[in-house]
Amino acid sequence: MKNAFVKLACLALFVPGVGAAAPVEVIRDRASSHAIYHEPGAPSSVVMAASELQHYLEKAGGVKLQIVTQPREPMISLGANAASRSAGLSLDGVPLEGFRIVTRGRNVYILGPDTADNELTPGGGTSAGTRNGVYTFLEKYLGVRWLVPGEHGDYVPRSGEVLIPETDLADAPFFLNRRVPYTQERRPEVKRWWARQRLGWSLFLNHSHNWEGSVPASLYDQHPDWFAQRGGVRVPPSGRYKLCVTNPGLVRAYADAAIAFFDQRPQATCYSLSPSDSAGWCECADCSARYEKDPNEELSVTPAILSFYNDVARLVAQRHPGKFLAGYVYAQYVFPPKTPIRLEPNVFLVWAPSFDYGYTLFRPQLQRQWEDLLGQWTGVTRNLSYYDLPVNISTEAGAPNPPGLKILKFLYPRLKAGGIKGVYVYGIDAWGRGGPLNYLLARLAWDPEADVEALFDEFCDKAYGAGGPEINRLFRALDAEMERHYLANPKASYTLTNEIMQDVYAKNFPQLERLYRSAEAKVQDPEAKARLAMIGENLTVLAWNLRQFKMLPDPEASSFYLPDAEFFALLTSKRGSLALEPPAEAGRPSAVNRKVQVSPAQDVPGAEPMRRFRLRGDQHLVLLPTGREEVRIRFSQITARGKLITYRVFSPDGSEVTSGLASAEVPIVLSADGNKYYHLVVSAASATFMIEATGAAWAVDGAFGNKGLHLLGATTPLYFHVPAGVESFHLSLEADPPGEVAVATLYAPDGRKAGEFDCTAVSVDRKLISVPSQAAGWWKLAIEKAPAGPIDDVWVKPGDELSGYFSLEPARALGVTRVPEGTK
């Protein structure tokens, strides 16, 4: 850790006559006698460092140094090797992931702790100290900056010479785990950018929500007492379900899942205890006895959760004493317990102060609450890491993300002072709207006391060249406007609401446009132009979204205006770009891979005209052309909630037919020839919409989401086919009482009532429905508003006994049967 590590001064002595050594001339006049040396068996991180060093020395100095595996003076020696030891250098006192840069005569030595390939640190991570040293060397002595990933992301001054002053420099990261997630980090170019920014971890922490993975819903029928009790009943698990954390059998089962994980993966060092997201906690007497009120007089389940962490950790330690169990303290368990609970030594907490998501830390009272909680949690344990999205607006609407400079200056020095072990702070996937923030987060992860203002100014200057001042003002203006909005609107959180769209982005869009176009007119450097264009593409997306919400008085007057067809073509051409928000469905959805048999319904008993409805979130539909006319699919009633609703259409063999952006103005048009049926996959996150199709029979996949078919507010009867031979099936209705309620009636093909569902007191009403003989055919579920309370989010989930598909338009109902795997 850096606070226990003496950072040696970098000596740059150029004053003649005072005994200073001459600088090492690595490159002069585009010539060099130096080689880059590493041992033949050096770890891959050192080999990569040598290649990176060679590449950037050539770009900066104009000469390509040879990489050798035998020491040869003069040289740049990489790694702790025989050459560095002969020079009297050691890594004594250098922490994992740290490094030294030392000159000796004409040689330069860069060395740090390096884990071998397939080797882990005691904390389950890796150490690439030498590589971190190389990147620091390139930054400090060549002026290189890695601004954004990709071919246009580097800033490399070209001078034709590289002179290194007499140096003995040592450095290491403060945080042992440094991650900036949600930056498209699975892409190769972003992985490389992460390495160049020295992100990484010598301490590995697995803290994702893990209750569903550890105790699957399939165990409910055998062990209902393991699952949350609500309204006096054990609730069938659905979506982000909760467990009964005081049940000894559940604790034993969870510990067994962790033990099995470690048994199967001897090198693994950490298993997650973190509950599933959202609310729905168990209300049994034993769990409720461990609940209390937080300082805001809201429910706090912290005592129950920490006790659960301890109970599981003790059992796991009996079998695997050297392993860690990590868990969040978050949401309704973000406040420490009133009565202290001593944690087991193998428990690692990850503090996620969800009250500060978005830009809420602009509010002084939340800063005080945050600071108080930091002190309280660091008093509970030193095994504490940090998870947050404190300067993040969740949207696909192209809105440039303000960097939150004041918030970053508040957070990071305090995290260091608190001795926090790691940072997992969200970045922005769309680099064209979040590039400055991603850069700042990466730099602060290495040095939490870095000068935030200077880093931001440096980024704008180097990323956008002559246009840097204008882009600097653009982001600072958004910062000021976002602060004003959050101070005036106490309910504003981390999603892009219509209020933020209007008050921050629509109101200031003319200024954003002027600043961008002014910068564009000044920039001549091709690399800076490419980086600037990433912002411009997002402003085009923002202009389109503001037009959809009718927030621009004259949208066609904007230089960012594009008609829908041209806008959709732009998005298609930029698919896969780092600049824009990546599509959620990057790969082919698994539902598309499953073969189905389809047949249009001949007659649906009890059919009613389709009413207005709204689907919410991601959906999968199957459509069967019913004639020679082309198939037309129309979207309406769209509520975007900051999300661009995208779609992809697939043929039965899984090949993609078309894709695009859902719009009320432009329908999806498909040929009636050439395909037996189509898969339509809609990526909508939390957005809502109505969908209609002509020229096709169609059905919606009720098994696509883990909670079932998701409707919002307005509903229409659902029709589904029960094939012959099915003796019974499960069906669930779910709502969120008492605030959101729903009831439903199930009708058999002969019109009789087969079941009634009531979600006014319990969140999930799951029933086993018996199918009498001669009752195969089309059944109807009519969802209605309850006698008291509003209907809002409603889910309908079919059991595995059925195909899971629902038809919403009986005149175009489609029967869908899943073909068993292996069937030709």
Side-chain angles (χ1 to χ4, degrees), residues 418-570:
I420 296 296
K421 300 295 194 301
V423 284
Y424 184 98
V425 180
Y426 281 34
I428 301 294
D429 274 323
W431 286 80
R433 72 179 192 89
L437 174 62
N438 293 344
Y439 183 82
L440 290 171
L441 294 177
R443 307 296 290 190
L444 290 167
W446 181 269
D447 180 3
E449 293 183 315
D451 186 330
V452 172
E453 296 283 348
L455 286 174
F456 177 72
D457 290 342
E458 174 190 67
F459 180 89
C460 292
D461 177 60
K462 289 178 166 49
Y464 309 114
E470 283 78 8
I471 300 305
N472 193 310
R473 289 203 297 275
L474 183 153
F475 278 102
R476 286 183 181 274
L478 285 174
D479 233 11
E481 284 294 278
M482 198 66 80
E483 179 179 13
R484 176 191 58 76
H485 180 87
Y486 271 75
L487 290 175
N489 295 274
K491 292 186 178 180
S493 184
Y494 66 98
T495 55
L496 183 66
T497 61
N498 288 353
E499 291 76 18
I500 294 177
M501 281 280 278
Q502 179 66 62
D503 188 41
V504 175
Y505 291 99
K507 186 177 76 174
N508 293 287
F509 191 77
Q511 180 188 9
L512 303 181
E513 185 168 5
R514 284 195 300 273
L515 287 169
Y516 178 83
R517 294 305 183 196
S518 175
E520 186 180 49
K522 292 181 177 180
V523 175
Q524 301 299 318
D525 175 66
E527 303 296 324
K529 275 182 176 289
R531 293 188 285 266
L532 185 65
M534 296 172 75
I535 298 176
E537 290 164 11
N538 279 271
L539 290 174
T540 301
V541 174
L542 177 61
W544 185 86
N545 278 281
L546 292 174
R547 176 164 65 89
Q548 305 311 301
F549 285 98
K550 298 180 171 53
M551 291 181 178
L552 295 179
D554 187 7
E556 295 186 19
S558 169
S559 60
F560 290 106
Y561 169 78
L562 288 177
D564 278 0
E566 293 181 29
F567 177 69
F568 297 162
L570 171 69

Side-chain angles (χ1 to χ4, degrees), residues 381-392:
T381 180
R382 304 306 295 174
N383 288 345
L384 190 64
S385 190
Y386 188 71
Y387 175 115
D388 205 358
L389 46 152
V391 280
N392 184 296

Side-chain angles (χ1 to χ4, degrees), residues 1-5 7 94-99 127-129 132 170-178 197-202 416 421 443-448:
M1 199 176 264
K2 189 183 289 187
N3 58 0
F5 176 49
K7 185 186 294 189
V94 178
L96 291 170
E97 301 189 88
F99 59 84
S127 178
N132 292 337
D171 200 5
F174 177 78
F175 301 117
L176 307 181
N177 185 300
R178 305 172 309 287
Q197 295 295 349
R198 298 163 298 179
L199 297 172
W201 51 89
S202 55
K416 178 178 179 179
K421 300 295 194 301
R443 307 296 290 190
L444 290 167
W446 181 269
D447 180 3

Side-chain angles (χ1 to χ4, degrees), residues 162-176:
V162 175
L163 307 179
I164 312 301
E166 182 181 13
T167 296
D168 191 338
L169 167 70
D171 200 5
F174 177 78
F175 301 117
L176 307 181

